Amino acid sequence: MVHPSNLPRPDAAARRVGALRRAAVRAAQAPSVLNTQPWQLRIHRGALHVHADHRRQLAALDPQRRVLTASVGCAVFAARASLAADGYGVVVRRFPDPFAADLLAVLEPDASATVDASALSDGDWLGDVRTAVTAEGVRLHVLDELERGLVSELNGQADRIENLDPTYRAELDAWTPNGDRDRVVGADECLALLVTDGDEATDWLRAGEAMMRARQVAAAAGHDVRPSTQVIEVASARARLRRALGLSGHPQMLLRVGRGSSTSATNRRRLVDVLVEES
Ligand SMILES: Cc1cc2nc3c(=O)[nH]c(=O)nc-3n(C[C@H](O)[C@H](O)[C@H](O)COP(=O)(O)O)c2cc1C
């Protein structure tokens, strides 16, 4: 029998390609609005290129591509986390090419860079989530009782406004199994908003990354973070939310935090439809 230490070692380039492939698989599993999975992935010259797939944009729900971009941010973080788990530091270039508007991020594994990890404290999981979100350049605004009531009212208002639009209803029918977008089951232990200083595409992308990082940290403490964007999608509800809460920044996503609530499993696109590998 050959002792494992005598087996040929995969060289650095092969290890890197293996790590990039695993990162692409994880990115393709990321959550997205209505499970649209609006991304295309490309492994090219030792890096993972994450593109937005604008053909999967929800024109009525998301005319600005705010939520599409946040969804791609989720895929970017999933890839980052995978590379970190493989021991790589990652250099992320966001919107690297002004002439390729659909190229949202390029991830280059760098064995010499430090691995980006969130340190966990003992017990203060919400504090850990806040620290993790801040590390992504985003802020966490935890809602108090009064604010929760307001958000619930504004959510209802946003839902009514969106449902007045037949194109929106057609999108729900096309992208969800039963025309119902709300997959949330179980009580919310805590509600929080992700807030960014700016309101540009790069902020939307970072909000998606921050959601995933928050989710990773909360999961380590047994909490489940579920994103929701309905109240953000409707401009009037978003503006009221911002005013009523006195937010200095821009709300990008509502996080509903629960414990052990389950939703049915959702499918993902086949990897061959999402990933292109070039030498
Ligand atoms: C940017 C974004 C916005 C989302 N908005 C909502 C929402 O408003 N309501 C909801 O129930 N789920 C929302 N989700 C969750 C998706 O519906 C869910 O991730 C997708 O259907 C896949 O399901 P899974 O994450 O359970 O695999 C959102 C997810 C993302 C990434």
Side-chain angles (χ1 to χ4, degrees):
M1 209 174 89
V2 183
H3 191 272
S5 62
N6 293 332
L7 288 170
R9 282 166 185 253
D11 66 14
R15 274 202 315 115
R16 191 178 160 110
V17 169
L20 285 168
R21 283 189 187 134
R22 280 187 291 281
V25 169
R26 298 303 296 272
Q29 296 297 318
S32 55
V33 64
L34 303 194
N35 203 23
T36 45
Q37 305 163 63
W39 43 69
Q40 278 293 324
L41 307 168
R42 193 159 64 100
I43 294 176
H44 179 61
R45 293 192 178 163
L48 179 66
H49 294 232
V50 184
H51 295 259
D53 185 344
H54 293 150
R55 294 166 304 180
R56 302 176 83 84
Q57 178 186 2
L58 302 164
L61 182 154
D62 187 29
Q64 286 182 288
R65 297 186 181 146
R66 173 193 298 276
V67 196
L68 178 149
T69 307
S71 298
V72 177
C74 294
V76 169
F77 186 83
R80 285 173 52 197
S82 175
L83 289 166
D86 273 331
Y88 287 95
V90 190
V91 176
V92 185
R93 289 186 289 127
R94 298 175 181 82
F95 298 93
D97 182 352
F99 298 104
D102 70 337
L103 179 58
L104 303 203
V106 175
L107 280 64
E108 288 171 62
D110 180 350
S112 62
T114 45
V115 175
D116 195 10
S118 298
L120 299 183
S121 63
D122 195 10
D124 180 16
W125 67 271
L126 194 53
D128 291 341
V129 169
R130 189 187 300 283
T131 307
V133 165
T134 308
E136 295 299 318
V138 177
R139 278 179 280 141
L140 188 78
H141 178 102
V142 177
L143 302 184
D144 64 25
E145 215 39 60
L146 211 69
E147 292 172 333
R148 284 173 72 126
L150 179 88
V151 166
S152 151
E153 184 198 319
L154 289 176
N155 242 329
Q157 193 183 90
D159 189 52
R160 283 191 294 280
I161 292 173
E162 286 190 314
N163 272 293
L164 285 174
D165 181 353
T167 318
Y168 169 80
R169 292 203 305 274
E171 281 175 353
L172 278 195
D173 284 340
W175 289 96
T176 62
N178 50 11
D180 178 13
R181 68 176 296 178
D182 206 348
R183 305 189 63 252
V184 173
V185 177
D188 297 319
E189 223 175 291
C190 159
L191 284 182
L193 286 167
L194 291 181
V195 181
T196 53
D197 288 338
D199 199 22
E200 307 289 330
T202 178
D203 302 297
W204 308 339
L205 189 75
R206 292 309 300 251
E209 292 179 70
M211 189 286 288
M212 291 291 278
R213 187 152 175 177
R215 192 153 103 154
Q216 185 184 57
V217 169
H223 294 86
D224 185 20
V225 169
R226 300 168 306 242
S228 166
T229 46
Q230 202 162 16
V231 70
I232 311 293
E233 290 153 19
V234 175
S236 59
R238 192 169 70 242
R240 257 192 81 191
L241 182 67
R242 206 175 160 216
R243 263 199 317 275
L245 269 52
L247 298 173
S248 58
H250 300 268
Q252 302 295 353
M253 214 181 280
L254 178 67
L255 304 186
R256 311 175 76 158
V257 187
R259 216 176 234 285
S261 54
S262 63
T263 51
S264 51
T266 47
N267 292 325
R268 293 292 187 267
R269 299 161 72 194
R270 295 181 313 165
L271 200 58
V272 288
D273 296 329
V274 179
L275 174 64
V276 173
E277 244 182 278
E278 294 163 5
S279 53

